[in-house]
Amino acid sequence: MNIIRTITCLALLLAAISATAQDKPSIKWGKPTQEELTMTTYEPNPEAEAVILHKETTARVDYVGDDFKLRTTVKCRIKVLKAQGKDWANGTILYRYNSGNPKGREILESLKAASFNLVDGKVVKTQMNKEMIFHEDISKTTRRTKFTVPQVTEGSIIEYEYTTLNDYFYLVDDWEAQESIPVKFTYYNFIAPEYFKFNLVETGLHHLGSAHKQNRMTLSMRGGTMQCNCGDYNYYGYNLPELRKEPFCFNPRNYGQKVAAELRTVEIPGSTYKNFATTWSDIDKTLMESDDLGKMLNKNYLKDQMPAIPADATTEEKIATIYKSLKAKVKWNKDYALFASEKASTILKNGSGKNSDINILLIGMLRDAGLNAYPVVLRTRDEGLLPFASPTIQALSTFVVAVKDGEKMFYLDGSAEDGYINVIPSLLLAEKARIIYDEKHADWLDISKVTNASTIAYINASLQPDGTITGTRSEKLGGLSAMGLRTHFKLAKDSTEFIKDIEKEDNMEITSFTHEGMTDYAPSLKVNYGFTAQCESAGDLIYVKPLIDNLMSTSPFTSDTREMPIEMPSVATTQVTCKIDLPEGVTIEEQPKNLMFKNPDGSLSFKFICSPTPGGITTTCTMSVGKTLFAPADYEQVKAFFDEVVKAASEIIVLKKTAQ
């Protein structure tokens, strides 16, 4: 080997070891420095409302009492830089808690917090008392503790520390290095005895420093102690940027830097061997054998209240009839879940439930009607992509209902209150979903394109010599477009308020309004309205928008760069045709150029055609979005596409009054 290269490699290795040794800065908890107390801005991001100065998380698999458990301790110091940063005085801790099973839960062992303020040059410490801590059960298996740190204002230092003890030592929460504010330094230490084989995987858009080694640890067991080797995993993050909210991103945390620890095997010499590695087939079996899911699906809990279904009804008609009947009895409570939250009788008595509760009832009714209905389990889009290569039931959020009719598939969900068959909320349009037929048979599905958002509009208008334009607009909306308008209509105080919203959005006066299917359970709806608008004019020139209303006034993508993927709500199609009749003595002076463009893979396309017709001018515009997920590398193309759409939508027809 080349001696110079060898020396260079050794030097780099020593430098890396030295850097690792210095990665964790020293800190005295409870004693913020003068520099921290007087700090007014965070140099890497002067606009930050607050900054995490130092955060340490230690998770350790240890022997406690009579079994192995997971003890996790979190310590954090935060600097409040602006008034809005005071919200960081409010903290939340989520942990597993099952009051009916004292041997299978997580407990909050300790929690303390304090604020530090400079008052007349002296440090004033204010500790949190018990009255500022609140506990609540948010489900049968999850407890939430909320706390508020007192006397927090602009310039304050916040410190908190808590420890949890989890009976489920194999359920290690992902460690998230980033937050919605910048992080100056963060550190994660995971320790487990050599008998526990964990895989630790780092994901995210940045990179953490790390150091993994074998150490010795002491276990206190049955009145004595035992020495063993342990895996000691360390991760460091310096000056990590905040997770910014971006348009068309369900949850920035999905793309933040994090570390996941997954238990593969437990092997205690002479005692225990257990393989914790699971397959998706194992998960299928577990779900189908669950008392709170699979075992409930073959029972019709509304058998005595089944709606009448004509013998010659199509599959779609049967599904629609049953779904409407169920939704008249049980409303969605705005929560998603994978398992039943209560007994079916309780859900029916209360008249509301999670989407899982409604879907379980729905599958039972559909199967009783002779339809092939199955659960399709998935991870909601706000929780990120399903870890396909690392099967775990904890990665699943909920399920939707699929009805298989030959080669056709129909999809429904209890949360789709204003939709129809194959119209489910965008949160559920997952690229990876799994339909489970029974304990032994399942398939992977892509349901990201199941629901479309479609709009077809026709505008017929007449221009007056004074620039007044009157006409009618007829729209047919389907999929999520119909769902959205139905929801808007339902939430409006009355039809007058609903119409005023349209007038404000399109800058016109609505003179008449009718609708069809607005309150129905139907695949589409229609709206028709008459309108009057005033065009701009100057001298003998009149300026007319080709589509009269605003197709797209601003682009949602304004940043020059983007780190996160673009998550469209759904695939979508829009088609607008506008025909404007011109009065005598008015001619076309200038018209927009015809445009047709699309991105390289054709998943985004736009067409804008403006052409004179006898006695007028007609404009046709079509736009389509053909997929729901675009990579960060595609951002420049996506931004350019929408910039062009906005530019085309802002074009003007220039008309000229000629002498009579």
Side-chain angles (χ1 to χ4, degrees):
M1 177 183 286
N2 184 295
I3 188 67
I4 300 299
R5 185 181 301 168
T6 302
I7 293 172
T8 302
C9 290
L10 286 172
L12 290 171
L13 178 60
L14 289 171
I17 294 172
S18 176
T20 300
Q22 297 175 5
D23 264 344
K24 186 181 177 184
S26 62
I27 183 173
K28 291 184 178 180
W29 295 102
K31 293 185 178 181
T33 66
Q34 187 69 16
E35 181 184 356
E36 291 171 335
L37 288 163
T38 57
M39 178 182 182
T40 57
T41 60
Y42 178 58
E43 186 176 345
N45 183 358
E47 301 302 316
E49 64 182 42
V51 58
I52 294 175
L53 298 173
H54 194 111
K55 187 173 183 179
E56 296 184 11
T57 302
T58 300
R60 178 185 174 108
V61 177
D62 209 341
Y63 201 87
V64 181
D66 59 355
D67 207 346
F68 283 99
K69 299 183 181 184
L70 176 69
R71 177 173 275 127
T72 303
T73 298
V74 177
K75 298 179 180 181
C76 187
R77 178 179 289 174
I78 301 171
K79 174 68 178 186
V80 178
L81 298 169
K82 299 182 186 298
Q84 57 266 42
K86 293 189 297 182
D87 289 343
W88 285 88
N90 302 312
T92 299
I93 306 167
L94 290 174
Y95 48 102
R96 300 168 185 86
Y97 185 85
N98 188 345
S99 58
N101 183 9
K103 290 290 186 181
R105 61 180 178 176
E106 187 174 10
I107 61 171
L108 183 63
E109 284 192 316
S110 64
L111 169 62
K112 61 181 181 180
S115 66
F116 301 84
N117 292 284
L118 270 181
V119 180
D120 297 329
K122 295 183 179 180
V123 180
V124 176
K125 177 181 178 180
T126 308
Q127 292 186 324
M128 179 178 69
N129 57 43
K130 293 181 179 180
E131 286 69 34
M132 298 174 179
I133 302 173
F134 308 92
H135 308 283
E136 59 180 338
D137 294 337
I138 59 176
S139 73
K140 291 191 296 185
T141 58
T142 305
R143 169 167 280 197
R144 177 167 56 200
T145 293
K146 294 182 177 181
F147 62 91
T148 300
V149 184
Q151 297 299 314
V152 172
T153 185
E154 186 175 339
S156 296
I157 294 285
I158 299 169
E159 279 193 13
Y160 64 82
E161 177 183 342
Y162 66 86
T163 298
T164 60
L165 186 65
N166 190 353
D167 292 334
Y168 300 105
F169 62 85
Y170 49 87
L171 296 180
V172 184
D173 291 331
D174 290 353
W175 174 68
E176 298 185 355
Q178 290 178 272
E179 293 284 353
S180 58
I181 57 174
V183 177
K184 186 176 182 182
F185 175 77
T186 186
Y187 167 66
Y188 180 50
N189 179 216
F190 179 75
I191 299 173
E194 60 184 322
Y195 319 120
F196 300 84
K197 306 299 182 185
F198 281 88
N199 284 344
L200 273 77
V201 179
E202 179 189 347
T203 58
L205 303 172
H206 298 273
H207 183 66
L208 301 170
S210 62
H212 311 323
K213 55 191 175 183
Q214 289 290 320
N215 269 339
R216 298 287 288 172
M217 70 182 298
T218 301
L219 302 176
S220 299
M221 305 178 69
R222 298 178 175 88
T225 61
M226 185 181 80
Q227 290 277 321
C228 68
N229 292 326
C230 66
D232 190 341
Y233 304 86
N234 300 271
Y235 292 87
Y236 306 83
Y238 271 104
N239 298 322
L240 297 174
E242 75 278 13
L243 293 171
R244 293 187 303 166
K245 290 184 178 179
E246 297 271 17
F248 296 100
C249 178
F250 282 94
N251 186 353
R253 301 186 82 91
N254 294 336
Y255 306 103
Q257 212 65 27
K258 64 185 68 174
V259 174
E262 181 182 359
L263 180 62
R264 307 306 293 175
T265 62
V266 174
E267 186 173 1
I268 301 176
S271 174
T272 302
Y273 175 82
K274 185 173 182 179
N275 186 357
F276 278 78
T278 59
T279 66
W280 287 110
S281 295
D282 296 332
I283 292 172
D284 299 337
K285 188 172 185 294
T286 298
L287 293 174
M288 289 301 96
E289 291 178 351
S290 169
D291 292 334
D292 294 324
L293 182 55
K295 290 186 177 180
M296 299 179 72
L297 300 180
N298 287 320
K299 182 176 180 181
N300 185 358
Y301 296 92
L302 286 160
K303 194 172 186 66
D304 296 334
Q305 302 178 54
M306 283 287 284
I309 301 175
D312 60 348
T314 65
T315 297
E316 186 171 335
E317 290 169 341
K318 291 177 182 178
I319 295 170
T321 300
I322 291 171
Y323 186 82
K324 286 169 59 179
S325 173
L326 174 59
K327 290 293 286 185
K329 298 176 177 64
V330 185
K331 304 297 182 184
W332 180 45
N333 67 5
K334 311 303 179 186
D335 285 335
Y336 289 98
L338 180 61
F339 298 98
S341 64
E342 301 283 355
K343 293 181 180 179
S345 57
T346 303
I347 297 299
L348 292 170
K349 181 181 177 180
N350 294 338
S352 68
K354 298 183 178 182
N355 79 313
S356 55
D357 298 310
I358 299 171
N359 289 343
I360 287 169
L361 295 172
L362 179 60
I363 289 178
M365 295 175 73
L366 292 168
R367 288 182 176 182
D368 195 40
L371 298 172
N372 299 315
Y374 308 100
V376 180
V377 296
L378 55 89
R379 186 180 180 90
T380 53
R381 295 174 71 188
D382 62 334
E383 294 187 3
L385 298 175
L386 189 70
F388 176 73
S390 301
T392 169
I393 202 167
Q394 284 73 36
L396 298 171
S397 311
T398 188
F399 70 96
V400 299
V401 178
V403 178
K404 189 170 174 41
D405 181 25
E407 296 300 314
K408 283 187 176 182
M409 296 288 280
F410 301 93
Y411 297 92
L412 307 98
D413 187 74
S415 66
E417 296 191 316
D418 299 307
Y420 187 66
I421 298 167
N422 289 337
V423 182
I424 57 178
S426 57
L427 198 67
L428 306 176
L429 297 176
E431 284 194 341
K432 279 288 183 184
R434 189 166 176 84
I435 184 170
I436 306 177
Y437 300 109
D438 54 41
E439 292 89 342
K440 296 182 179 180
H441 301 90
D443 284 318
W444 288 103
L445 300 174
D446 177 354
I447 62 172
S448 64
K449 298 180 182 179
V450 163
T451 300
N452 190 6
S454 64
T455 300
I456 301 175
Y458 295 96
I459 303 166
N460 286 291
S462 296
L463 180 72
Q464 304 304 315
D466 65 355
T468 301
I469 192 164
T470 60
T472 60
R473 180 182 176 107
S474 301
E475 286 186 2
K476 181 179 180 181
L477 292 86
L480 288 181
S481 297
M483 178 189 283
L485 195 65
R486 286 189 180 111
T487 301
H488 183 184
F489 186 80
K490 184 171 64 177
L491 294 178
K493 183 173 64 177
D494 50 34
S495 58
T496 300
E497 181 181 84
F498 179 75
I499 291 170
K500 284 184 177 179
D501 289 343
I502 298 175
E503 290 179 328
K504 183 178 179 181
E505 181 179 351
D506 293 336
N507 194 27
M508 61 176 57
E509 179 187 350
I510 305 298
T511 57
S512 63
F513 181 81
T514 61
H515 59 79
E516 180 183 331
M518 185 73 79
T519 58
D520 297 340
Y521 183 68
S524 61
L525 65 85
K526 296 179 181 179
V527 293
N528 300 279
Y529 56 85
F531 64 87
T532 298
Q534 185 63 46
C535 300
E536 293 184 9
S537 59
D540 60 354
L541 299 179
I542 303 173
Y543 304 96
V544 180
K545 294 179 181 179
L547 300 176
I548 299 176
D549 62 2
N550 295 315
L551 175 69
M552 183 179 291
S553 56
T554 59
S555 171
F557 306 107
T558 57
S559 299
D560 293 331
T561 59
R562 178 169 171 140
E563 290 187 331
M564 297 179 187
I566 301 163
E567 300 168 322
M568 296 294 184
S570 71
V571 293
T573 55
T574 300
Q575 179 178 320
V576 182
T577 300
C578 180
K579 180 177 179 294
I580 302 175
D581 293 327
L582 303 180
E584 290 187 12
V586 174
T587 60
I588 300 171
E589 180 78 3
E590 185 178 331
Q591 69 184 60
K593 294 180 179 179
N594 295 337
L595 297 169
M596 283 193 294
F597 51 85
K598 55 187 176 181
N599 67 329
D601 69 0
S603 56
L604 297 171
S605 65
F606 182 79
K607 182 188 292 187
F608 184 90
I609 306 295
C610 185
S611 55
T613 56
I617 189 166
T618 297
T619 303
T620 300
C621 175
T622 59
M623 185 172 76
S624 69
V625 177
K627 65 181 183 181
T628 57
L629 185 65
F630 293 83
D634 298 328
Y635 177 68
E636 187 175 339
Q637 299 169 5
V638 174
K639 182 180 185 300
F641 175 86
F642 281 93
D643 286 345
E644 288 295 325
V645 172
V646 171
K647 182 180 177 182
S650 65
E651 294 284 351
I652 294 293
I653 301 171
V654 181
L655 305 174
K656 186 174 183 179
K657 301 175 188 178
T658 58
Q660 297 296 309

